[in-house]
Amino acid sequence: GAWSPSVSSGGCLRIFQPSEPAGSVGVHSNVVIDVAPLPERLVLFFSDCRCPHAVLPVTAEAGDRYAAVLFYAGTEEPGDVS
């Protein structure tokens, strides 16, 4: 079915405050923000330990939704200039 945006339909992107130093795999705590899935919204973020995150459950009546994911693998850290 057609998707209609609503915070009550779930699917928010939840961003957490990292609780361990960058570079370590670990637990997260303290919700920083819930980002609602709205039409024409683009969210870009580092999906590693720098930005622990989760996608909240979607309710059945929310309709069809899709996500596009892009992974970039490089040898340099972001912001490194040679």
Side-chain angles (χ1 to χ4, degrees):
W3 174 68
S4 176
S6 167
V7 174
S8 64
S9 66
C12 288
L13 172 66
R14 178 165 283 174
I15 305 293
F16 298 95
Q17 178 69 38
S19 62
E20 295 188 6
S24 62
V25 176
V27 182
H28 46 262
S29 61
N30 300 330
V31 173
V32 174
I33 191 169
D34 285 343
V35 181
L38 299 177
E40 299 183 25
R41 174 174 279 172
L42 174 66
V43 180
L44 302 172
F45 61 96
F46 292 109
S47 62
D48 59 10
C49 62
R50 292 173 283 189
C51 189
H53 63 283
V55 177
L56 302 181
V58 176
T59 60
E61 67 272 3
D64 295 334
R65 292 196 279 188
Y66 302 92
V69 178
L70 172 70
F71 290 95
Y72 171 78
T75 57
E76 297 179 10
E77 284 293 313
D80 284 353
V81 178
S82 299

